[in-house]
């Protein structure tokens, strides 16, 4: 009885050894074909992405929309390529989809922040509160800068001091923000205090003349100098004018400097913060 069992095991082992080379060669061929398919697939995906971007460019689509669509197409095509390779190895993709679907609730709870960012990105592209190239400021944390890129989950800003700020799309779509680029021009208010004993009319005339001689001040918009506040140690004048978006910062810095210079030339004192103390005997 034992002898018969040993003969059966030896026979099975011989059959396995005879088929082993064929199985190994078949497996290696599948691996090689999968590598080839993956290589061809990645090249086709890159080519298809280039075609889509070129078509959207010709159609005049915004760069933010093109970036979002490119990211979405890239993820979707790589997922399809992964399912194709799995089916090549004989893995039932329907079962994989079922497993992924059953785990969807748990995954959704774990990545609800990312899903919120994805939904936020879609809303930003549909509602267009801003686009690439706009200068925005979000009110939640006070981050501001020029929009450089709108991706699937995040939006990238470039600050004035050349830093990159990455903001989640979910927060941007739910919080209030200020878009400084939607209008052609922008108002500038520069406040300066003059001494109480200074010639107020002369100070206003000097500052008004400064605005009249400034080339970046828009003539079709109001530009004026008025008393904004009677503070503890100075009469606060507001120098108000409009300029173009492109010239905003340079014009603001230049006129702020010129205000100090023209007031000094006119002999009008800009007082520092002070307090008068009277002692009663």
């Amino acid at each position: 009885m034992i002898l018969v069992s040993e003969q059966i095991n030896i026979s099975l082992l011989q059959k396995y050894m005879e088929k082993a080379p064929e199985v190994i060669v078949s497996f290696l061929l599948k691996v090689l074909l999968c590598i080839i398919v993956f290589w061809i697939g990645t090249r086709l995906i890159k080519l298809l992405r280039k075609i889509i971007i070129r078509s959207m460019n010709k159609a005049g689509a915004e760069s933010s929309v093109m970036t979002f669509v490119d990211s979405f197409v890239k993820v979707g095509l790589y997922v399809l390529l992964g399912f194709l390779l799995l089916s090549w190895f004989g893995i039932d993709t329907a079962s994989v989809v079922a497993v992924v679907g059953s785990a969807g609730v748990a995954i959704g709870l774990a990545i609800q922040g990312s899903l919120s960012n994805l939904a936020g990105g879609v809303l930003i592209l549909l509602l267009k509160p801003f686009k690439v190239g706009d200068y925005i400021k979000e009110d939640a944390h006070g981050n501001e800068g020029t929009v450089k890129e709108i991706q699937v989950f995040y939006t990238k800003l470039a600050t004035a001091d050349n830093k990159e700020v990455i903001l989640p799309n979910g927060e941007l779509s739910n919080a209030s923000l200020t878009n400084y680029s939607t209008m052609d021009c922008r108002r500038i208010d520069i406040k300066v205090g003059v001494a109480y004993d200074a010639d107020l009319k002369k100070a206003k005339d000097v500052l008004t003349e400064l605005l009249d001689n400034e080339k970046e001040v828009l003539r079709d918009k109001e530009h004026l100098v008025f008393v904004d506040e009677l503070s503890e140690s100075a009469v606060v004048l507001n120098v108000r004018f409009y300029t173009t978006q492109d010239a905003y910062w340079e014009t603001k810095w230049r006129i702020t400097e010129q205000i100090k210079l023209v007031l000094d030339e006119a002999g009008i004192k800009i007082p520092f913060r002070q307090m008068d103390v009277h002692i009663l005997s």
Side-chain angles (χ1 to χ4, degrees), residues 47-73:
L47 178 61
L48 183 59
R49 288 169 59 196
K50 288 181 179 178
I51 294 173
I52 293 174
I53 292 297
R54 194 180 298 116
S55 301
M56 295 181 72
N57 252 325
K58 290 182 179 179
E62 296 180 0
S63 57
S64 56
V65 176
M66 289 191 291
T67 302
F68 186 88
V69 171
D70 180 56
S71 300
F72 194 80
V73 169

Side-chain angles (χ1 to χ4, degrees), residues 7 13 101 133 144 148 156 164 166 169 172 209 235 251 262:
Q7 288 177 347
L13 182 60
E144 61 180 295
K148 290 299 181 184
K156 294 182 179 181
E164 184 179 74
I166 301 176
N169 286 335
L172 277 178
E209 184 181 359
V235 178
T251 305
V262 297

Side-chain angles (χ1 to χ4, degrees), residues 33-35 37-38 80-91:
L33 287 174
C34 280
I35 293 174
V37 170
F38 180 78
L80 289 177
L81 181 60
F83 276 110
L84 177 63
L85 295 177
L86 289 175
S87 62
W88 190 272
F89 275 100
I91 299 175

Side-chain angles (χ1 to χ4, degrees), residues 11 17 29 32 71 81 85 87 93 103-104 123 127 138 150 168 178 209 218 223 230 261 263 267:
S11 177
M17 292 300 294
L29 283 175
L32 180 60
S71 300
L81 181 60
L85 295 177
S87 62
T93 54
L123 288 175
L127 302 179
E138 55 92 13
I150 303 175
T178 304
E209 184 181 359
L218 298 179
H223 56 281
L230 300 175
L261 295 176
L263 289 180

Side-chain angles (χ1 to χ4, degrees), residues 1 16 23 31-32 39 48 89 126 140 172 174 178 225:
M1 191 73 177
Y16 176 78
V23 173
V31 171
L32 180 60
W39 185 84
L48 183 59
F89 275 100
L126 290 177
L172 277 178
N174 291 324
T178 304
V225 180

